[in-house]
Amino acid sequence: LKVLNNPSVWNQPQKRGTTGDMAYQSSESKKEEFRKYLEKSNVIDALTKVLVSLYEEPERPDKPVDFIKKALGGPSQSDFEGLKAENEELKAKIAQLQAQLGQSAPPEEA
């Protein structure tokens, strides 16, 4: 991006066949390959749709990252906290029921 913003760099002669040029091409080809991967797997489309919906929101969300997570189908922080609390309650219930089973179950005969 710095190169694009600096017109004086545009007029400089380019070096061909140097190690740095090959590394640049390799880096560019890796970026292009990654971009194709994102396009093929519809990641770019999904992110574009989410960002457009964020842009079109009448009121900007206080937590845009949570908005994006929710739009992509992930749980929000409040969902996560709620599920965590429910999990703890269920663990306590299981321990209580196991304790009751241990007290009231007759000894098994072998």
Side-chain angles (χ1 to χ4, degrees):
L1 289 177
K2 290 180 181 178
V3 172
L4 294 176
N5 294 329
N6 187 354
S8 66
V9 176
W10 299 347
N11 298 326
Q12 292 179 355
Q14 293 189 358
K15 298 176 184 174
R16 299 272 182 217
T18 63
T19 306
D21 191 37
M22 295 183 106
Y24 175 77
Q25 287 177 347
S26 175
S27 174
E28 285 300 311
S29 65
K30 286 180 182 180
K31 287 178 186 177
E32 182 63 21
E33 186 178 315
F34 185 67
R35 187 192 60 75
K36 286 179 181 179
Y37 160 74
L38 293 176
E39 230 174 75
K40 184 179 177 183
S41 59
N42 295 322
V43 171
I44 292 175
D45 289 339
L47 290 174
T48 300
K49 288 176 185 176
V50 170
L51 292 173
V52 167
S53 67
L54 177 61
Y55 175 78
E56 292 175 346
E57 267 301 296
E59 293 184 27
R60 299 282 185 241
D62 292 334
K63 298 180 179 181
V65 172
D66 286 344
F67 176 90
I68 292 170
K69 284 180 186 177
K70 187 175 181 181
L72 289 173
S76 67
Q77 186 64 29
S78 60
D79 292 339
F80 176 75
E81 295 299 327
L83 290 171
K84 193 173 174 182
E86 181 183 2
N87 189 26
E88 293 302 319
E89 290 172 11
L90 291 172
K91 284 180 181 178
K93 182 74 171 180
I94 288 171
Q96 177 189 7
L97 292 172
Q98 285 176 335
Q100 286 178 357
L101 269 176
Q103 293 174 355
S104 62
E108 292 183 26
E109 294 180 26

